[in-house]
Amino acid sequence: MLPRNSASFILLIASLVTSQPSVEKFSVPETILSLATRINAASDNTGNYVFSPLGISTALNLLLLGAEGDTKQQLRSFLKYRPEVPDNRVHDVFSNILNKLNEGQDEVEIKIANGVITQRGLGLESNYVESSKKYKTETGTLDFKNAPETALNTINNWVAEKTSNKITQLLAQPPPSGTKMIILNAIYFKGQWENPFPVEQTRTDAFSAPDGPTSAEYMVNVLTVPYAESTELDCKAIVLPYKGLQYGMLFLLPNGDDPQAVQKLEAKLSVQSINQLMEEDMKFRSTTVRIPKFKIRQSFSVRPTLQRAGAGGIFGTGANLSRITRDPVVVDDILHQAFIEVTEDGTEAAAATGITLSRDAPSKNFIANKPFAFIIRHNRLDLSLFHGRVVKP
Ligand SMILES: *[C@@H]1O[C@H](CO)[C@@H](O)[C@H](O)[C@H]1NC(C)=O
């Protein structure tokens, strides 16, 4: 896969969730949601999965910061930045949003860390080192060529530290010896439900997976939460808020029994359809909620998906990244790893903190006993941190 006689370049992303859990003409939330829906559409994954469109778009922005000429235009158009919005505005607005994620709440822990690690001796442009600081990017050098094991351990330790030891093995093997640069983006999110599920209510029951009936451990509660029945998306949806109410997890449960319904629903997700759902369709309703506990840990190479989604040019030998380095480099791959765990209280370690039962008779049901999709969002910013799907808990 690595081109011979040319420097290679690996873009690597670690994203992690532990959960139970605008600007005129230029909207970061729309950029990220649009990227998420295109990645969904281009993915050939039919099983459980989770990824961070915020993480992937942050890494692509770090590339954009170093791109020139056609490569820059290609990245800008892939990210849907309009031509009239200047580069510095894109980077200012995007990095500002990243800085806002922690604002005004102590209950949810979110950490985003970026790193640019180059082969010792590679000429890194000092302007790049300087301008990448607005993305809170740490730069450093490693010797991929002569000390690949050290490089492996240093990178894995860095990611482990940034993800509170939830991702300890981002790289299973040392980077290829021709590697010139690795861009890392790690996201750690940990939230507790505003309304924890009472553990004693949890029970095992049937779940209709695409390959046949199975069973799942269901968390059960009666909650007054945003609830919608969408005709456009042909699904039911609820939002379970995290403590502090800044973040929430949107669950999308297709109507009917078609085992492929969740993929069909994902194909219909767009900035418009999600805005319609969140802003018009959602109403607070007393709802019986049954959602299976689940855990997804996944690593995948984003390159084929981005190629199918139309960003193949950035992986070509002609990619122009001359603002990062004058040395010829090739983007070899984008590796992504994400982890999510959904339990009664929102985190694997947190203690159960009481029971919230609505006094009203529940008028709605949200019984997730077949494949469903989810999105972890920042409510006020309308920002998608993680997208995923459960076909078999
Ligand atoms: C990259 O693009 C810049 C600006 O268009 C150009 O001056 C430079 O020669 C290009 N470098 C490569 C390696 O293509």
Side-chain angles (χ1 to χ4, degrees):
M1 193 153 91
L2 284 172
R4 292 174 60 160
N5 302 325
S6 99
S8 68
F9 181 110
I10 293 182
L11 183 65
L12 189 115
I13 301 179
S15 304
L16 177 130
V17 188
T18 300
S19 89
Q20 296 290 4
S22 152
V23 180
E24 77 290 343
K25 286 191 187 159
F26 174 56
S27 158
V28 172
E30 285 189 14
T31 293
I32 291 171
L33 188 52
S34 157
L35 181 72
T37 57
R38 283 177 287 147
I39 288 177
N40 264 340
S43 166
D44 54 6
N45 188 334
T46 55
N48 294 345
Y49 79 84
V50 59
F51 70 96
S52 172
L54 175 67
I56 295 175
S57 53
T58 302
L60 291 175
N61 266 293
L62 271 170
L63 261 187
L64 176 65
L65 197 59
E68 272 285 18
D70 288 350
T71 304
K72 185 169 90 176
Q73 294 317 322
Q74 223 176 23
L75 267 169
R76 282 189 58 119
S77 95
F78 181 70
L79 290 164
K80 303 220 184 282
Y81 298 149
R82 295 186 200 180
E84 65 271 25
V85 183
D87 288 340
N88 56 5
R89 175 123 182 95
V90 164
H91 294 299
D92 284 349
V93 174
F94 201 102
S95 53
N96 265 335
I97 292 256
L98 293 184
N99 290 330
K100 282 194 180 131
L101 293 175
N102 276 311
E103 258 174 26
Q105 51 92 35
D106 301 320
E107 293 90 346
V108 163
E109 199 184 339
I110 174 158
K111 288 189 226 157
I112 299 189
N114 300 302
V116 176
I117 302 165
T118 50
Q119 167 64 37
R120 188 167 303 153
L122 182 92
L124 200 61
E125 293 295 301
S126 58
N127 276 343
Y128 186 76
V129 173
E130 204 47 46
S131 56
S132 67
K133 282 184 183 152
K134 71 173 82 160
Y135 283 101
K136 299 215 165 92
T137 298
E138 294 174 24
T139 48
T141 62
L142 285 172
D143 195 347
F144 301 115
K145 194 157 186 273
N146 301 307
E149 289 293 333
T150 309
L152 168 83
N153 292 332
T154 307
I155 287 169
N156 281 345
N157 289 343
W158 187 85
V159 173
E161 186 196 322
K162 297 298 179 187
T163 61
S164 296
N165 288 319
K166 292 297 176 191
I167 293 180
T168 53
Q169 275 242 315
L170 184 62
L171 293 182
Q173 53 204 29
S177 66
T179 300
K180 287 292 183 184
M181 181 183 302
I182 290 183
I183 294 189
L184 295 152
N185 166 268
I187 300 184
Y188 175 74
F189 176 91
K190 179 171 155 183
Q192 295 176 43
W193 298 131
E194 175 75 10
N195 307 293
F197 288 83
V199 177
E200 64 276 14
Q201 297 277 355
T202 298
R203 61 209 56 218
T204 306
D205 212 333
F207 186 94
S208 303
D211 59 358
T214 179
S215 67
E217 266 195 281
Y218 287 92
M219 315 182 292
V220 183
N221 210 346
V222 177
L223 298 166
T224 299
V225 287
Y227 171 95
E229 289 168 11
S230 165
T231 40
E232 187 184 347
L233 294 172
D234 196 16
C235 74
K236 287 183 178 182
I238 55 167
V239 176
L240 296 186
Y242 288 103
K243 269 211 174 78
L245 306 178
Q246 295 266 40
Y247 289 90
M249 191 160 177
L250 167 65
F251 291 85
L252 300 156
L253 180 68
N255 297 323
D257 297 324
D258 176 356
Q260 305 304 319
V262 70
Q263 279 94 331
K264 290 174 186 165
L265 183 151
E266 285 161 8
K268 284 188 248 174
L269 291 179
S270 65
V271 172
Q272 292 72 22
S273 63
I274 291 181
N275 284 349
Q276 159 83 26
L277 182 73
M278 299 307 297
E279 283 155 31
E280 319 242 332
D281 301 343
M282 285 283 179
K283 301 280 184 296
F284 278 86
R285 294 270 193 256
S286 173
T287 309
T288 301
V289 178
R290 286 170 52 120
I291 290 173
K293 290 163 68 161
F294 63 91
K295 190 195 284 205
I296 306 171
R297 183 189 290 277
Q298 180 170 51
S299 312
F300 65 99
S301 161
V302 184
R303 176 177 175 157
T305 306
L306 286 185
Q307 281 174 321
R308 279 193 293 272
I314 62 170
F315 299 105
T317 45
N320 187 336
L321 297 165
S322 57
R323 284 157 64 99
I324 302 182
T325 173
R326 307 265 157 180
D327 295 353
V329 291
V330 168
V331 178
D332 186 55
D333 203 352
I334 297 179
L335 306 177
H336 187 82
Q337 185 171 150
F339 169 72
I340 182 168
E341 178 163 34
V342 169
T343 63
E344 285 90 346
D345 42 45
T347 74
E348 54 186 349
T353 51
I355 302 171
T356 310
L357 287 170
S358 163
R359 279 181 211 170
D360 309 329
S363 59
K364 298 292 181 188
N365 283 315
F366 189 90
I367 314 291
N369 57 2
K370 56 190 175 184
F372 58 91
F374 63 84
I375 302 176
I376 295 180
R377 312 171 74 248
H378 188 290
N379 297 322
R380 186 171 47 78
L381 299 173
D382 273 335
L383 202 68
S384 302
L385 275 73
F386 293 90
H387 276 230
R389 177 208 296 151
V390 175
V391 302
K392 196 171 183 174

